[in-house]
Each structure stands twice: as structure tokens, then as C-alpha cells.
Amino acid sequence: MSWLKTNNKKRIVILGGGMSGVGAAMLATQRGYDVFLSDGGVLKDAFAKALQDQHIPHETGGHDMEQILNADVVVKSPGIPDNATIVQKILEANIPVISEIEFASRFTDEVEIAITGSNGKTTVTSLVGHILQIADFDVSVGGNIGQSYAAQVAEAPAEYRVLEVSSFQLDGIKTFKPKIAVLLNITPDHLDRYDYKFENYVASKLRIAMNQDENDFLIYNADDPAIIEALKIHKPKSKLVPFSMQKQLDFGAYIQDHNININLDTNLFTMPIQNLSIKGQHNTANAMAAATTAKLLQIRKETIRQSLASFQGVEHRLEQVLKINKVQYINDSKATNVNATYYALDSMEKPTVWIVGGVDKGNDYSELYALVNKNVKAIVCLGTDNSKIVEAFGSCVDNMVETSSMEDAVRVAYKLAGPGDNVLLSPACASFDLFENYEDRGRQFKNAVRAL
């Protein structure tokens, strides 16, 4: 589809009017294409206004198939599954369907750094962006967080693009080829989108490296058995750069004597773990991945150390909100899978009232049992259907209460917590039963805590 860069008479249909869809529509319009956006629901006011201001034709509340099947290419929102009826009709008409990340990448020759993983990708993406900004690089940060990639490309050039990329976005790539790809971990997540087959989800994550060649780099977690096995199967052509918390490496990043060590050449990088601004073993691994990326970009060692020591973390990820009556309230609403919640519960050093629940994605809660028995004094379920959580943890704690609103959940947690305890929102589930997204869930939690 090389015509995407050169033939401005082609028709592009955008499926979905969220952040990525509106960004793709803006970029396509800017480049002179015939653009039509279709959304089966209702657009947010800001997105509707952006389309109106740009005079971009669009529809809501349904799909006009005659308009859609007149497309030369369809750019699909990552939230729409490939097996959706509308997508199948488009494919049956032999119309290419790509992701917004793929579409945006066709219009830039800038250095792309793409980060994926089941957990930690927002932290690492933000941290890499922070390091590059401290190093005074011309950089933009976005993708699956913040502004969409297409909107960034439409808005302004940047020498470096740091992108968080989800498995859903990777499913729709054809030629996307990051200079540096980072694969943090792969644990069961979104299995409802992958026929409840972990191997399908793993294959989706490995797509981040599928177009890389020997001049590119794949930074990967050498402690993750799913990644190690996947590398044997998919055999990426890029140069493999491992990081490990468990073993020393001749090449890559590793821990020795409570220091992060990165050995990519004769110029060894070291930094004491205690100097990292973000704490916990999972964040040490995240810091290694980010620092390795910076080393590959030949950023000065002192700049990397300064950046790792000054990074303030990510909103909605183990975010300390308030301390009320000696109870610490912690917002971890971004923990939308079991593995992310595992890290959160593992970091709790005080008795914890745990707020959990949402849309189950085929979760296996068994890996949390030991941590719940050790660290959790009470559970507050928050969701429209809490049956699986009640079944999984009913025998682990003495107090378990079901709620259906954030205000109720926080009020119940307030009554259950005592001085010196934590109240932790770490849902282990998607948010879409009661909230727009994890940000909305986190904002409601913080507002409810402040209202106590």
C-alpha cells in the first residue's frame, strides 16, 4: 500500500471515533485523502468537535455499509475485535484493515521506539520519554497513552517517537518497523480477544518485532519463560538485547551487588537500585528496560542516572492519593490484569483493604492466593458481576463486601480499614462495566477518597 504516501485521491474509512480514530482521521485529512469516520456509538464531545472543526464527514449510532465498503483501506480502532461482524464484512470485500499505529507509521521516517508487554509498558514508555527529554532529544510520547500516534504525526515532526503499543494495535500492523522494540513480559491478559488461547496472545505481542531486521534492536525480559519460548518460535531478525533480574549476563542488563548493570559495549553502565525513584522489583525491571533503551541511543550515563532518580511515576499506577486517619489510599486502577495486581499486592507492607473487580478477561486468580492470605485483611468487590471474585477469594478473608459504585466501595473500605492500614484499588479486571476506562475509574476513586 505504498500509495498511502503518494495518492491523495484514495478513500480512507476510519472505524471508531475514539482517540486513535479521530487522530487517524485528522492525519488522513491533512494529507488530502477522502476521509469518512464511522462509529456505532456516541462520540465524546471533544472528539465530535474535532471532527466538526476539521469538516471531516462522519456518522454515529450505526454503520452505513455502502459508505464503508467504498473504502480503499480501513483504519480500525484497537477496541474493535477482528471477529466483529463489520470487520468480517470489510475483509470479505477484500478491503485492507490496518491499525492507527500502522497508518501513522507510513507518514514518518523518524526513529520509532515501541514498548509492549502485559504490564509495565506505560511506566517504561513514560520513563524512556523522560530520559530523552532530560537528554534534550526532540521527542514525542504517545501511542496507547496520551495522544494517538496519528495525531502526533499530524501535529508536528519529532526526531524520536516513543510509543506504548498494545497487542490490539499490533494485530493491525503490516509494515510497522520500530528501530528499538521493548518486550517487557507476557502473562495471560485479554484472552477473551484471543479465543482464550495464551499462545495467540503471545504471538500478537511478538508482532512488535516481525518487520525488524539486523539493524534494529529487540530488548526483552530474559526471565520470562513465555518470551524465551516465543523467541524460539518466531525467530526475530533484530539484534536481541536481554535484561534480567535473576542472572548475570555477558551482554545486556542485569543486577549485581544491588546495582543495575548494563553491558552493551566496553562502556559499562552502573547505578545503585536504591537511587531509583520508583520502587519495587517490577519497577527495577522497568528501569533496566528503559535504561537499556537509552544506552542504545548513546545517551550519557550521568543523564540516564539523573533521569532514573527524578522520574515521578505514572498516574493511576500505585499512586498514593491521601492518608486519612493514618490509612493510606492507593490508586492502582491501571492494574487491569492479574499479573499487574500481583505486583501491587506484593508491594503492600501493611494490612490492606483491597478493592477489586470489573470485567473479567478470563482471569486465573490462583496466583494471588498466597499474597491475599499474607497481605489482605478485607476485600471490597466492585463490579456488576462479582461472582468469580467471591468464589476465588471468599475463603481467604473474613470480610468481603460487594458494591456497585465507587462511592460505596470507598465508604465500605473506610469502615474496614484501621490506623496503619492501606486501602488499595487494584481491580485485576477491565473497567468497562461501570467506568469509561481505567482513567475514569482512577479519577472516581480519588474523588471518592477526597470526599471522605
Side-chain angles (χ1 to χ4, degrees):
M1 286 182 286
S2 60
W3 56 263
L4 276 176
K5 285 189 176 181
T6 59
N7 190 335
N8 291 350
K9 295 181 181 179
K10 294 293 183 178
R11 177 174 171 82
I12 294 178
V13 169
I14 314 296
L15 205 59
M19 182 80 71
S20 67
V22 172
M26 293 173 64
L27 176 60
T29 299
Q30 182 192 81
R31 300 306 167 101
Y33 296 105
D34 177 14
V35 181
F36 178 72
L37 183 146
S38 178
D39 191 295
V42 178
L43 299 181
K44 290 186 177 179
D45 291 344
F47 296 149
K49 185 177 186 303
L51 294 173
Q52 291 165 1
D53 289 347
Q54 296 290 324
H55 305 290
I56 298 172
H58 61 280
E59 65 176 349
T60 59
H63 300 292
D64 184 337
M65 293 308 299
E66 184 176 351
Q67 289 261 43
I68 292 170
L69 295 179
N70 192 30
D72 291 293
V73 65
V74 171
V75 179
K76 178 181 72 68
S77 164
I80 302 173
D82 291 339
N83 61 3
T85 301
I86 186 171
V87 178
Q88 291 302 307
K89 289 181 179 178
I90 294 168
L91 294 173
E92 287 168 5
N94 294 317
I95 300 170
V97 178
I98 62 175
S99 68
E100 171 259 335
I101 289 282
E102 171 70 20
F103 180 65
S105 71
R106 305 292 181 88
F107 300 96
T108 176
D109 295 320
E110 299 152 335
V111 177
E112 294 169 323
I113 301 160
I115 294 131
T116 197
S118 300
N119 299 293
K121 53 185 178 292
T122 299
T123 296
V124 174
T125 302
S126 302
L127 182 49
V128 171
H130 177 69
I131 297 171
L132 268 60
Q133 288 164 354
I134 295 293
D136 203 26
F137 277 38
D138 179 18
V139 60
S140 70
V141 180
N144 198 45
I145 58 170
Q147 195 176 31
S148 73
Y149 190 23
Q152 290 180 332
V153 172
E155 184 175 280
E159 189 175 354
Y160 294 87
R161 305 286 192 180
V162 182
L163 303 169
E164 176 184 321
V165 186
S166 71
S167 59
F168 298 168
Q169 290 168 315
L170 290 171
D171 288 337
I173 67 169
K174 307 293 183 183
T175 62
F176 176 63
K177 180 180 179 291
K179 180 66 178 178
I180 300 175
V182 182
L183 183 53
L184 298 170
N185 45 63
I186 308 178
T187 58
D189 194 13
H190 302 298
L191 295 188
D192 50 335
R193 274 281 288 261
Y194 294 99
D195 297 326
Y196 294 93
K197 294 179 180 178
F198 183 50
E199 61 269 26
N200 293 352
Y201 176 58
V202 172
S204 177
K205 287 296 189 187
L206 264 292
R207 290 175 64 83
I208 197 170
M210 75 179 194
N211 296 313
Q212 289 189 307
D213 59 35
E214 61 276 3
N215 297 311
D216 303 317
F217 300 93
L218 173 61
I219 299 170
Y220 70 95
N221 185 345
D223 300 331
D224 191 310
I227 292 178
I228 298 304
E229 187 61 30
L231 290 176
K232 297 176 184 176
I233 296 170
H234 296 277
K235 297 181 172 61
K237 296 177 182 177
S238 43
K239 185 165 186 178
L240 301 182
V241 184
F243 66 92
S244 174
M245 293 281 293
Q246 300 175 2
K247 53 198 172 192
Q248 295 185 25
L249 303 171
D250 294 330
F251 178 81
Y254 58 94
I255 302 298
Q256 185 177 33
D257 298 328
H258 305 290
N259 289 323
I260 291 174
N261 294 290
I262 304 177
N263 182 26
L264 303 180
D265 47 38
T266 57
N267 192 10
L268 179 69
F269 171 88
T270 64
M271 178 176 178
I273 293 174
Q274 66 180 15
N275 291 351
L276 295 175
S277 63
I278 49 177
K279 305 302 181 183
Q281 287 197 2
H282 63 293
N283 277 326
T284 300
N286 290 337
M288 280 199 291
T292 302
T293 302
K295 279 288 290 175
L296 289 174
L297 295 173
Q298 299 183 335
I299 294 175
R300 293 177 61 248
K301 290 189 285 187
E302 188 52 41
T303 300
I304 300 173
R305 294 190 191 100
Q306 177 188 348
S307 303
L308 295 178
S310 63
F311 180 63
Q312 293 302 304
V314 176
E315 187 180 13
H316 307 300
R317 192 71 180 99
L318 289 173
E319 176 189 11
Q320 296 197 0
V321 179
L322 280 177
K323 183 173 282 189
I324 301 174
N325 295 335
K326 299 182 180 180
V327 175
Q328 180 66 60
Y329 291 80
I330 302 169
N331 170 29
D332 194 45
S333 71
K334 200 175 187 307
T336 59
N337 60 56
V338 169
N339 195 242
T341 294
Y342 178 95
Y343 291 131
L345 291 175
D346 190 44
S347 69
M348 296 296 105
E349 297 179 351
K350 298 176 181 178
T352 298
V353 177
W354 176 31
I355 302 175
V356 56
V359 179
D360 186 274
K361 298 183 288 185
N363 292 350
D364 177 3
Y365 294 105
S366 60
E367 67 179 277
L368 300 179
Y369 291 161
L371 286 173
V372 170
N373 284 322
K374 176 184 176 185
N375 295 338
V376 174
K377 64 179 290 185
I379 291 176
V380 179
C381 301
L382 175 58
T384 57
D385 181 3
N386 301 309
S387 57
K388 191 171 178 181
I389 292 170
V390 171
E391 180 182 356
F393 300 109
S395 61
C396 295
V397 294
D398 293 330
N399 291 311
M400 176 178 281
V401 181
E402 294 190 64
T403 63
S404 58
S405 75
M406 184 62 75
E407 292 78 8
D408 286 345
V410 170
R411 281 195 290 265
V412 169
Y414 176 81
K415 294 176 182 178
L416 293 172
D421 291 348
N422 294 323
V423 171
L424 170 70
L425 169 67
S426 190
C429 300
S431 57
F432 306 119
D433 56 342
L434 297 174
F435 310 98
E436 291 185 7
N437 48 42
Y438 74 81
E439 291 101 332
D440 178 43
R441 179 166 53 193
R443 284 191 294 268
Q444 290 199 32
F445 174 74
K446 290 190 283 187
N447 289 338
V449 170
R450 290 166 183 149
L452 288 173

